[in-house]
């Protein structure tokens, strides 16, 4: 429950600071604060008549439907799911399972993301809109949708040569900031759960294909193969990464571990010797600890 409240607070705060303060949005925000959804909807319909191609309009539609769906979730939805869940097999059901079941039954959440997709279609280079979709879907445990949104973001980054914009002054955002978004999502342990691996692999493969210098793509894809005990496939992709980025420690560490898992001691030793040459002092100590077991 706390996670949803944090996300809602994030949405409202970023909406206040990130979007142009036209009169429609100001009124929409005021009615949101008092929970008057009828007036909110009236504002949105008037706004749509005047500016049907405004991305902020459809972002506001997203907020409207998202908050309505969350209101139902807060109003006893979880308890009803506990009572009515015919598939319940134990006294403990995960929060993610309940939230997926609950939100799947309410069309508001579908309408919310349809509106956000419309905003993204109208402003495909708006980084903030894409991040909202990735982070909110992940917070609802819709990891497949979050990974698909992340993959779309990667593809659009290739199209626009990584020139992203924010709404306030059309500021161009640096490539590094975009890869920070990738890193954050790829570092989420929940994404590495088994049922997400096929989507995770696809997203990582797209990242490598379009941005071959993106080290995280190689390590995530390598880990995805290792989860399924596909060691040789992991080694192939990590060796590819090591050729492109020969001094990247994350790739080298995982490659060394993969060689060890396949009893390729000589190759593993060469990798750790490389780390000992190019790494920081802590990384060199890491390499020495492995090398000491190979002598």
């Amino acid at each position: 429950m706390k996670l949803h409240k944090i996300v809602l607070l994030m949405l409202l705060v970023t909406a206040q600071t990130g979007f142009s303060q036209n009169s429609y949005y100001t009124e929409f925000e005021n009615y949101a604060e008092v929970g008057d959804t009828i007036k909110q909807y009236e504002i949105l319909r008037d706004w749509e008549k005047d500016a049907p191609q405004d991305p902020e309009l459809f972002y506001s539609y997203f907020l409207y439907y998202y908050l309505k769906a969350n209101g139902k979730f807060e109003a006893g939805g979880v308890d009803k799911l506990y009572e009515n869940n015919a598939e319940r097999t134990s006294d403990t059901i995960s929060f993610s399972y309940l939230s997926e079941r609950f939100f799947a039954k309410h069309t508001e959440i579908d309408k919310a993301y349809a509106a956000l997709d419309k905003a993204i279609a109208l402003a495909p280079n708006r980084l903030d809109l894409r991040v909202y979709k990735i982070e909110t879907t992940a917070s609802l445990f819709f990891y497949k949708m979050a990974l698909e949104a992340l993959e779309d973001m990667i593809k659009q980054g290739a199209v626009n040569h990584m020139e992203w914009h924010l709404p306030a002054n059309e500021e161009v955002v640096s490539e590094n900031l975009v890869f920070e978004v990738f890193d954050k999502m790829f570092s989420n342990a929940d994404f590495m759960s088994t049922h997400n691996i096929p989507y995770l692999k696809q997203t990582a493969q797209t990242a490598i294909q379009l941005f071959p210098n993106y080290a995280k793509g190689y390590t995530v894809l390598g880990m995805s193969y290792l989860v399924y005990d596909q060691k040789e496939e992991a080694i192939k992709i990590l060796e590819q990464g090591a050729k492109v980025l020969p001094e990247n420690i994350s790739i080298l560490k995982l490659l060394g571990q993969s060689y060890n898992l396949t009893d390729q001691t000589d190759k593993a030793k060469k990798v750790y010797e490389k780390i000992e040459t190019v790494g920081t002092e802590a990384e060199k100590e890491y390499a020495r600890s492995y090398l000491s077991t190979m002598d």
Side-chain angles (χ1 to χ4, degrees):
M1 197 73 69
K2 291 181 180 179
L3 180 57
H4 284 275
K5 290 180 178 178
I6 291 170
V7 172
L8 292 174
L9 179 61
M10 178 272 291
L11 287 170
L12 291 173
V13 170
T14 52
Q16 290 172 358
T17 58
F19 290 90
S20 58
Q21 298 297 302
N22 61 42
S23 60
Y24 284 120
Y25 187 80
T26 301
E27 289 184 77
F28 173 84
E29 182 184 23
N30 290 337
Y31 286 125
E33 289 178 356
V34 298
D36 191 336
T37 56
I38 294 175
K39 287 293 187 182
Q40 279 183 283
Y41 191 69
E42 290 177 358
I43 292 298
L44 290 170
R45 295 309 296 267
D46 289 342
W47 189 353
E48 190 169 4
K49 290 176 184 177
D50 285 354
Q53 302 298 307
D54 187 349
E56 278 87 353
L57 162 67
F58 291 99
Y59 175 76
S60 298
Y61 265 120
F62 162 71
L63 275 181
Y64 169 77
Y65 286 118
Y66 187 96
L67 295 174
K68 279 188 69 177
N70 190 78
K72 291 185 178 182
F73 184 90
E74 298 284 349
V78 171
D79 292 335
K80 291 178 182 177
L81 278 173
Y82 270 118
E83 293 170 5
N84 301 328
N85 181 12
E87 298 178 24
R88 182 176 177 183
T89 57
S90 68
D91 291 333
T92 303
I93 298 179
S94 71
F95 181 76
S96 62
Y97 176 84
L98 289 172
S99 66
E100 286 177 2
R101 283 300 180 91
F102 182 82
F103 280 105
K105 294 184 177 184
H106 291 282
T107 58
E108 282 87 351
I109 203 69
D110 294 327
K111 291 178 180 178
Y113 285 108
L116 189 53
D117 286 340
K118 177 71 172 178
I120 290 171
L122 289 168
N125 292 356
R126 279 275 294 273
L127 178 64
D128 54 327
L129 297 176
R130 291 178 179 273
V131 173
Y132 292 143
K133 183 172 183 180
I134 294 167
E135 293 193 341
T136 56
T137 51
S139 74
L140 295 176
F141 308 99
F142 298 159
Y143 292 126
K144 178 178 181 291
M145 186 187 296
L147 284 165
E148 288 173 344
L150 180 58
E151 186 174 359
D152 286 342
M153 183 176 170
I154 294 170
K155 291 177 179 177
Q156 182 62 27
V159 171
N160 67 12
H161 306 290
M162 299 302 281
E163 286 193 358
W164 295 94
H165 298 273
L166 296 178
N169 56 7
E170 291 300 303
E171 174 188 358
V172 177
V173 182
S174 73
E175 176 179 323
N176 288 338
L177 178 59
V178 178
F179 280 127
E180 285 176 17
V181 176
F182 298 166
D183 289 348
K184 178 180 179 183
M185 304 316 294
F186 280 147
S187 299
N188 187 327
D190 290 325
F191 279 104
M192 295 303 292
S193 60
T194 304
H195 66 280
N196 287 325
I197 293 298
Y199 311 114
L200 191 65
K201 286 170 67 176
Q202 177 61 47
T203 305
Q205 286 169 342
T206 299
I208 291 170
Q209 178 184 358
L210 297 176
F211 299 101
N213 290 327
Y214 179 44
K216 198 77 166 185
Y218 297 101
T219 56
V220 168
L221 186 53
M223 282 298 301
S224 298
Y225 282 123
L226 289 174
V227 167
Y228 280 119
D229 201 32
Q230 297 174 313
K231 300 183 186 71
E232 295 303 326
E233 288 83 354
I235 288 172
K236 286 179 183 178
I237 198 65
L238 292 167
E239 286 178 339
Q240 179 184 338
K243 287 181 180 179
V244 177
L245 300 163
E247 296 187 1
N248 184 273
I249 301 299
S250 296
I251 294 174
L252 292 174
K253 281 183 176 180
L254 194 55
L255 180 57
Q257 292 168 12
S258 299
Y259 282 143
N260 277 331
L261 289 172
T262 53
D263 296 323
Q264 299 184 66
T265 306
D266 289 343
K267 289 184 177 181
K269 186 174 182 180
K270 289 181 180 179
V271 170
Y272 293 126
E273 288 172 346
K274 176 75 171 182
I275 295 174
E276 191 177 23
T277 301
V278 302
T280 64
E281 190 54 44
E283 291 161 351
K284 290 178 181 178
E285 185 58 35
Y286 165 89
R288 292 186 197 112
S289 67
Y290 274 95
L291 286 169
S292 65
T293 67
M294 297 177 181
D295 294 334

